Amino acid sequence: MKAHFYVEAANLKDIEAALGETKDKAKAVLKAAINNAAKQIDKQMINETKKTYRYQRGQSGSVANTVEELKRANTLKKAKVKDLSAAVVVKGATSELLGFRVSPTLYVPGGGYPEWYKASVRRGESMKRVALRPGAAGDKYKAFIVRYKSGHYALAQRVPGKRMKSNPHKEAIKSLLSISAPKAEEIAYRDGIEDDVHDILQRSIQEQMRRLTGGGS
């Protein structure tokens, strides 16, 4: 999955008039301002997403999505003088549920699992039992933590009616998924950042103009 969040050109003529400079100089100011604003928005998007969702810091190989991987999902497409727009590009597959708040985080080789595993993805939400059909599935399709041959851990369930290729006598296993970084950041951007983008860009433009005219560091 991929999502783009754009920071685009403001009124170039207003900057020219304020600076008393050529259009090329004004474009350079605007380019720097847009890129600076995009960096701020990128950082805010990650922080807002961490405040909205219960991402965990997992040990190496223990979970599919950690706070560190959330940061790596983002890249900046910088503005240029010939293209006065920047974008925060967010890429990432659907995240695994074990990368969020799960209790207990206990892997039991060979069975003997806890009575229930509970999970919560968004902050403020209560922990809920993870089962295929809560209240109807019984014990057979409760979640459990599995360690794959690769060493990767996941919160998983059996798949009704589907057999393992390696052992047809057993039902197949699927890792439980939640929300992708692009979708999580889209929600965090819409709810906590989008209304402030114009003000962030305007402050960045003013800062760049002060730098050019010797009014700032």
Side-chain angles (χ1 to χ4, degrees):
M1 298 180 68
K2 182 188 293 187
H4 294 77
F5 303 89
Y6 290 97
V7 182
E8 300 182 288
N11 194 325
L12 188 61
K13 290 184 179 180
D14 289 347
I15 299 174
E16 290 178 49
L19 290 173
E21 299 282 356
T22 64
K23 182 178 288 188
D24 286 345
K25 183 73 75 172
K27 283 185 175 181
V29 168
L30 190 51
K31 180 197 77 170
I34 289 171
N35 286 332
N36 182 59
K39 288 180 182 179
Q40 293 180 51
I41 291 166
D42 176 37
K43 184 176 181 180
Q44 287 188 28
M45 284 172 61
I46 292 172
N47 289 337
E48 193 70 25
T49 302
K50 288 192 293 184
K51 288 193 309 184
T52 304
Y53 294 92
R54 286 176 156 174
Y55 284 94
Q56 301 297 304
R57 291 184 179 273
Q59 296 178 350
S60 178
S62 63
V63 296
N65 57 306
T66 62
V67 171
E68 292 77 12
E69 289 180 344
L70 180 64
K71 294 177 182 178
R72 290 195 292 270
N74 289 21
T75 56
L76 283 178
K77 174 186 171 293
K78 292 185 177 181
K80 301 177 182 178
V81 170
K82 293 183 179 180
D83 179 12
L84 291 171
S85 68
V88 181
V89 182
V90 188
K91 296 181 182 179
T94 304
S95 301
E96 292 193 14
L97 188 55
L98 189 57
F100 296 92
R101 176 74 183 277
V102 172
S103 180
T105 55
L106 178 65
Y107 167 63
V108 184
Y113 304 110
E115 183 179 2
W116 287 100
Y117 283 93
K118 296 182 179 181
S120 175
V121 174
R122 289 186 69 121
R123 296 187 185 277
E125 291 182 345
S126 60
M127 301 286 284
K128 295 180 180 179
R129 291 179 177 181
V130 183
L132 187 65
R133 295 185 297 276
D139 293 342
K140 188 174 182 181
Y141 298 113
K142 290 193 303 187
F144 57 94
I145 292 180
V146 63
R147 182 179 186 272
Y148 293 109
K149 290 181 179 180
S150 65
H152 175 72
Y153 291 85
L155 189 63
Q157 286 175 326
R158 295 286 177 185
V159 182
K162 185 176 181 181
R163 297 292 166 179
M164 297 176 66
K165 292 181 179 180
S166 59
N167 188 349
H169 297 291
K170 289 187 176 181
E171 285 183 312
I173 293 172
K174 67 174 181 180
S175 298
L176 296 177
L177 305 177
S178 183
I179 190 170
S180 68
K183 186 62 179 178
E185 291 198 49
E186 176 188 341
I187 293 170
Y189 175 86
R190 184 188 64 215
D191 293 348
I193 300 170
E194 188 172 19
D195 291 344
D196 298 327
V197 168
H198 178 266
D199 290 341
I200 293 170
L201 178 56
Q202 291 304 312
R203 288 195 297 269
S204 185
I205 290 171
Q206 292 300 319
E207 176 63 24
Q208 293 302 319
M209 290 171 65
R210 284 195 295 271
R211 287 174 181 269
L212 184 64
T213 57
S217 58

